[in-house]
Amino acid sequence: MNNAYNLRDVYFKYSDKWILEDISFDIKNGEILGIIGPNGSGKTTLLKLLSRILTPGRGDITVKGIDIAKYNHMDFARSVAVVPQESSFLFPFTVAEAVLMGRSPYLKGRLFENYHDAEVSAEAMKWMDIYDLKDRPVTDISGGERQRTIIARAIAQEPDILILDEPTTSLDIGHQTGIYNLLTRLNSERGLTIVLSSHDLNLAAQYCNKLILMNKGKIYDAGTPFEVITEGNIRDVYGCEVIVDENPVTKTPRVTLIPGETPMNLCLTKEYQNTYTTKAHI
Amino acid sequence: MQTLTVKRWTSSLLIFSTLSIIIVFIAMLFGSEALRPYDVIKTLIETITGHHETEISRTILFQIRLPRILLAAVVGGSLAAAGGVFQAILKNPLADPYVLGISSGAALGVLISLFTQINITLLSFTSTTFMAFAGAIITLYVVYKLSNINGRTPPQTILLVGVMINAIIFAIILFLTLVIDSNQFYKIFFWLFGYISSPDYTSLAIISLFAIAGLIVLLTQAGSINLLTLGDDTAQTLGLDVERVKRRVFIACALLVAAGVSLCGPIGFLGIIVPHIVRLLLGYDYRIILPVSVIGGGIFLVIADTLARTVISPVEIPVGIITALCGGPYFIYLMRRKRIV
């Protein structure tokens, strides 16, 4: 059986500076892979390469053993579903309409979805616990509900691989764990391979089988949560002093921040940096 | 709003089609004093039963009024469809067929053909119609190429490039209008506001051919247009070949706009207002919005043109003035009240 993804020496740039350099890793079928790293480390860009929204400047990406560029658009959307960091709606479609759009790659020239499509998306809505909201406009529901709608749309695509860019960033801890629990169920009950990026090291450590730590466009470390989330790695990449011990319940690494110990040059707030530079000019 | 089903789709279309036929009939009743509603009904009955007593009425009705009403219906439907589609592709609820300069391009084509006095008719395609389409397509191509960044065309870039190109072309149009033969000035001035006159059936057929071709393409792409409203990246991850769909849809819109502009000039507001009203009634799914906007646009322009030829009869006013006067305030009302934008 082919891996979900193979990346070999992948490079990417928007203009003249490489944003991603020398990226090589594999994603096995049925894995939950977490991509962590500071802002601007290339997490979103990497996910966009995996989603085929961007094309690598150099290197090879294969999906289920086939070159990513060789897929046609419909086939790719039936294999890989994407939940973007932000979703905008030009028009207030209802939740049911929004989820039903996940069936687009199966329409094959039909103008309307059929009974099967309606069933699949109803089931996706039930999975994400938004079936009761189906006739509400997506602009009228809470952020957590909207995120679940987008994930339901992705499930309706019946993909083998699900890519999520910071799926819980704007949600409270209740909704965060809610979404992660659902992702774990999708992984164990439906065998979905899941690739996600996250800023929350504890959640990532708790729910992912494997982590990739990005720094300045390169892979800094990769492996199991215990191998990647170490006090040394966090200090080197994020510039913060932390204590890493074991979560007594989940038996996964637990990160605790030590405030005062942070080196000033790395943890300056943006406002402070601005005042600082202005003063220097005067 | 319920999810779109075949049943809801069919019933909505039936209702609006019936309404449009009724409106066309009513519009035939009105016109200059020469033919009052009573005469119209009498003539219609005579035509159906085969008695031909009132030859003049028949000529007025079938050679002047009916073709004009049909032209208004075709052009109104085309502009409304193109407007609705541009709103989706440019991610801007205020977009209309004119925002990218397509109609100015078509208008410039028409002016150039008048200015150079080239008058070739090939298979009943007059050079004016051809030049309108050429103008629309060339403008669209220039806008699309200038907005292209690494094989993608971000909506904001298309919009900004389009607005600029539109301004440039419009300046050229005004310049040409000034230097053009003064005998034609009044006619062109009228036409630039949007003016419907009675066409001969051949021109009407050609315009309809353009319009039907464009509409068929748009209707087959309606589902894809829904996805485009979610943003180009999301549309792509849902299996859409975004740039291919955009190119197809743009060409179809150019056909629709060119068809309208070549005979009636740039008629404003309709492309913005009609799709918005349809959305208020039927929701946001382009598979229903598009066909109903076509019918609704037709109805809207038929009514506007009936007003244009009757309010200060026998003097006619450009229909563009009516659409702007009714459309502008209504649109502001919608925007404030229903927060559609």
Side-chain angles (χ1 to χ4, degrees), chain B residues 16-176:
Chain B
F16 278 92
S17 310
T18 318
L19 184 66
S20 72
I21 292 168
I22 296 170
I23 301 274
V24 166
F25 177 75
I26 295 174
M28 281 175 80
L29 301 178
F30 294 95
S32 59
E33 289 294 312
L35 204 59
R36 289 153 178 280
Y38 169 74
D39 301 322
V40 173
I41 293 168
K42 199 172 140 209
T43 316
L44 277 177
I45 292 169
E46 280 172 6
T47 312
I48 293 163
T49 53
H51 295 286
H52 301 307
E53 287 172 25
T54 44
E55 201 55 44
I56 301 164
S57 317
R58 256 165 57 82
T59 311
I60 292 178
L61 206 57
F62 291 106
Q63 300 303 318
I64 297 174
R65 276 193 201 169
L66 188 62
R68 179 167 173 163
I69 291 166
L70 292 178
L71 178 65
V74 171
V75 171
S78 306
L79 294 180
V85 169
F86 277 127
Q87 286 148 22
I89 292 190
L90 301 175
K91 316 276 184 296
N92 188 328
L94 286 175
D96 74 356
Y98 304 150
V99 74
L100 291 191
I102 297 177
S103 64
S104 315
L108 184 61
V110 172
L111 277 190
I112 290 173
S113 88
L114 287 178
F115 197 53
T116 51
Q117 312 243 314
I118 302 169
N119 223 337
I120 312 153
T121 307
L122 189 69
L123 301 168
S124 11
F125 279 85
T126 61
S127 50
T128 322
T129 318
F130 179 73
M131 286 294 282
F133 184 64
I137 275 289
I138 291 169
T139 313
L140 192 62
Y141 182 79
V142 170
V143 171
Y144 188 82
K145 278 288 159 194
L146 287 177
S147 325
N148 198 308
I149 303 162
N150 298 329
R152 291 170 155 258
T153 46
Q156 316 89 303
T157 318
I158 307 185
L159 201 57
L160 286 175
V161 172
V163 167
M164 283 307 122
I165 296 286
N166 193 20
I168 294 167
I169 295 179
F170 209 74
I172 301 174
I173 289 177
L174 286 180
F175 176 75
L176 279 182

Side-chain angles (χ1 to χ4, degrees), chain A residues 52-53 111 113 153 157, chain B residues 152 234 236-237 240 287:
Chain A
R52 220 173 70 148
I53 293 168
L111 186 58
E113 293 85 5
R153 183 180 74 201
Q157 282 175 253
Chain B
R152 291 170 155 258
T234 300
Q236 193 194 315
T237 63
L240 201 67
R287 290 171 298 186

Side-chain angles (χ1 to χ4, degrees), chain A residues 149-251:
Chain A
T149 305
I150 307 294
I151 299 176
R153 183 180 74 201
I155 296 172
Q157 282 175 253
E158 297 185 303
D160 307 313
I161 301 159
L162 182 59
I163 296 175
L164 307 98
D165 193 0
E166 295 182 21
T168 60
T169 296
S170 58
L171 306 179
D172 61 61
I173 49 166
H175 281 106
Q176 286 188 351
T177 31
I179 289 203
Y180 272 104
N181 287 336
L182 277 163
L183 292 179
T184 313
R185 270 184 63 202
L186 283 171
N187 172 260
S188 57
E189 290 174 33
R190 292 190 167 203
L192 229 69
T193 306
I194 294 175
V195 187
L196 59 89
S197 67
S198 178
H199 275 307
D200 192 315
L201 300 178
N202 284 318
L203 279 173
Q206 208 171 314
Y207 289 97
C208 299
N209 321 123
K210 195 183 155 189
L211 290 177
I212 288 179
L213 175 62
M214 302 282 299
N215 190 31
K216 294 175 184 157
K218 290 180 182 162
I219 295 180
Y220 190 83
D221 203 355
T224 64
F226 268 115
E227 287 165 355
V228 175
I229 298 190
T230 62
E231 289 168 9
N233 273 352
I234 306 289
R235 187 188 309 117
D236 295 347
V237 171
Y238 289 90
C240 300
E241 288 296 334
V242 294
I243 297 170
V244 177
D245 56 3
E246 192 186 79
N247 181 321
V249 183
T250 57
K251 308 292 177 204

